[in-house]
Amino acid sequence: MNEKTFPEGFYWGAATASYQVEGGIENCDWAEAARDGRVPPCGRACDHYHRYEADFDIAKSLGHTAHRFSIEWARVEPEEGKWNEDAIEHYRDVLRALHVRGIKPYVTLWHFTLPLWFSHTGAFERSDAPEVFARYCAYVVSKLGDLCEHFSTMNEAAVYASNGYLRGSWPPFLRFTLTDKVAITNSGRQYEAQPSRGFSPVRRYFFVMKQLARAHNRAYDAIKRVSPQTEVSHVKHVIVFAANRNPFNMLKAWVANYFWTHRLMRRIHRHCDSIGLNYYFYTQFGDKRQWKKTDMDWNFAPEHIYDALCMLGRYRKPLFVSEAGLADEDDSDRAEYITRQVAGVWRAIEDGVDVRGHLYWSLLDNYEWALGFAKRFGLVEVKYDTLERTVRPSAYVYKKICEENRVIE
Ligand code: BGC
């Protein structure tokens, strides 16, 4: 018996998000931005909206016991305060399809895309945005809560706000010039608008972040009112900012971690039953190493998921890896990335961090936001012209990990 085993009941699987895989969503801010030529069109994407059963068959055949997906707000609430029962019925079918395959659902209520009525009226800058968001979350949980125990309110508040209000690469395309100089993520710079004048994007960014924290907290309370037993989490994107021994670099890393991770977490952690970690980035101030890069040009640093888990561990809530993975078109590095990443998770558990599951990003190749369909994150390759699915070799390495519930060397 290999000693690097995970706790009994540890769950394994992969994640997707509605707009990135479903196809056919035209009434949200991203679809509008595509019509305006500011981001690539998404179209039918993977047509997962119609093919979810076959996709879940693949997930099951790969040993997955859990699956994370998101609800498309614009489908459920196409007009403010008006609910679309057909959309709810669809997501109930999706949940049933997971249950019959023995796969536990993890539902995200909002993953970046906004209904047009909400984006046209100011999105999270609306003074009543927290209430509007909470009403939507509570409605969905009241309709789906009997089929799912675990809901996350939102995915990566800081990524949404920084790409949309500082970098100008995502709707609503506000750009603050100075952020160009500190870009460490590749979020589709070719679509950026002209820089906005003055500090208005920065002011608006901080306001939006505050509103997102309020929205999460309100949604938590509203969900608990309709379904007290539901486990409610927040999905946090953590960038690990590390430093060499230089005190100035150490200070920079502290400030960066505070602004990217802890400022938000301090506002919301009391309204979390658990926390999802999305891990993609490790960066060190004063680093002289030449890192191998993923297809996104991100440092190949899977084992540093350990540091990210320790950072969230301080909030003393159960954690789960809600996303972690890489773009790797020829699948030459994915198996190594996954095994090293899983070893990092195991190490964190050994050191006392309460991690309950691991969901690779992503089950399928999908729409990588402002970068379109070029980046391949999937365990399963999607040929977009025929929609044919092909399981990549690395998915079988992950399958072995899932089935044996242990680190594979
Ligand atoms: C997001 C996903 C995205 C992935 C890879 C995460 O930040 O939640 O939607 O596709 O990163 O960039």
Side-chain angles (χ1 to χ4, degrees), residues 92 168 207 219 238 345 367:
R92 289 188 66 80
F207 181 63
V238 173
V345 176
Y367 177 80

Side-chain angles (χ1 to χ4, degrees), residues 16-17 20 68 111-112 155-156 159 170 186 235 237 278-281 296 298 323 325 327 361-362 366-369 371 377:
T16 64
Q20 294 178 272
R68 172 174 176 244
H111 196 122
F112 296 152
N155 181 71
E156 303 184 348
V159 173
W170 290 11
N186 167 14
V235 170
H237 179 281
N278 287 3
Y279 169 75
Y280 295 96
F281 297 107
M296 293 289 278
W298 298 343
E323 282 182 36
W361 182 268
S362 174
N366 60 54
Y367 177 80
E368 180 52 26
W369 304 111
L371 297 168
F377 279 88

Side-chain angles (χ1 to χ4, degrees), residues 2 23 47 56-57 74 98 113 131 149 185 197 285 327 341 350:
N2 190 305
D47 195 30
F56 296 161
D57 283 341
L98 288 168
T113 46
E131 288 75 29
E149 292 166 4
T185 63
R197 287 204 188 148
F285 293 111
Q341 174 177 290
E350 279 294 290

Side-chain angles (χ1 to χ4, degrees), residues 169-219:
S169 49
W170 290 11
F173 301 103
L174 261 82
R175 179 174 152 211
F176 179 58
T177 335
L178 277 184
T179 41
D180 296 357
K181 304 202 184 328
V182 295
I184 61 159
T185 63
N186 167 14
S187 59
R189 210 165 302 155
Q190 65 267 40
Y191 296 101
E192 282 180 358
Q194 289 302 306
S196 320
R197 287 204 188 148
F199 282 82
S200 145
V202 180
R203 189 180 41 76
R204 289 173 67 179
Y205 166 82
F206 280 113
F207 181 63
V208 167
M209 284 302 291
K210 198 184 264 184
Q211 287 285 80
L212 289 167
R214 287 185 187 133
H216 167 84
N217 292 344
R218 288 277 158 84

